[in-house]
Amino acid sequence: MRRNKTNPPAPTEGDTALRTDATTSIVGYRLRRAQLSVFQKFLAVFDELKLRPAEYSVLVLIDDNPGRKQTEIAEVLGIKRANFVTLVHGLEERGLVERIPSLEDKRANALHLTAEGKAFLTQAQARHAQLEEDTVAQLGGPAARAQLLALLDRLI
């Protein structure tokens, strides 16, 4: 019988290594595994703050863009409207974000960080800076980070 991807050789009695080449050589698979690794580290660092990656991104974008509409922030992050409303509601309940009716469009809400939200974000950003520094070091330094980001931009 000819060996190929559809008929891999049968494992021998002493062979305990799982063959993974068919998946680990796939770009999408490797990207997903890298994402999971980075997210697991993020979750460990931010567990005490009870902050998820999407929530952190929302807080950062609101801080950088106070008064922007919910739909704008959701669109930039690729979060569905219904999911984003739930996410913002949770941040609002924690006292980190406030929704104010937009002056330009009364049907829309403008997002702002509260004073507590700004203080919380400052603490979170300090943790994130260390996490980012560790990740960049793991990649091999700033040049490797820049190269990775440039490659990822090609896929977006």
Side-chain angles (χ1 to χ4, degrees):
M1 184 183 291
R2 190 168 165 236
R3 291 183 186 177
N4 59 35
K5 288 185 180 185
T6 57
N7 291 318
T12 60
E13 191 171 310
D15 189 8
T16 59
L18 186 67
R19 285 189 281 282
T20 60
D21 291 351
T23 54
T24 58
S25 63
I26 298 170
V27 172
Y29 176 83
R30 295 293 285 267
L31 285 170
R32 179 68 173 143
R33 291 296 306 231
Q35 178 199 25
L36 289 171
S37 175
V38 170
F39 273 34
Q40 288 302 325
K41 290 172 186 169
F42 182 100
L43 294 172
V45 168
F46 286 91
D47 182 54
E48 184 182 324
L49 297 178
K50 299 191 181 344
L51 190 64
R52 297 183 322 240
E55 293 168 328
Y56 178 76
S57 296
V58 168
L59 293 173
V60 169
L61 283 174
I62 293 171
D63 188 47
D64 287 346
N65 303 280
R68 297 306 285 256
K69 292 188 270 182
Q70 289 182 175
T71 54
E72 293 175 294
I73 303 290
E75 186 177 318
V76 166
L77 293 174
I79 300 174
K80 292 180 182 175
R81 185 179 184 276
N83 295 340
F84 189 77
V85 169
T86 302
L87 190 153
V88 170
H89 182 70
L91 293 172
E92 192 174 38
E93 283 186 333
R94 291 174 66 180
L96 304 175
V97 170
E98 59 184 346
R99 291 185 265 198
I100 300 170
S102 172
L103 297 175
E104 300 159 0
D105 181 355
K106 298 296 181 198
R107 299 167 297 166
N109 287 314
L111 298 174
H112 297 271
L113 294 184
T114 62
E116 184 179 343
K118 288 180 188 246
F120 180 84
L121 182 58
T122 297
Q123 182 182 7
Q125 285 176 316
R127 289 180 185 218
H128 188 262
Q130 184 60 56
L131 179 63
E132 184 76 4
E133 185 178 313
D134 293 346
T135 302
V136 170
Q138 191 176 2
L139 288 171
R145 176 189 184 275
Q147 181 181 15
L148 175 61
L149 292 178
L151 291 170
L152 291 173
D153 282 345
R154 292 182 186 181
L155 299 174
I156 299 174

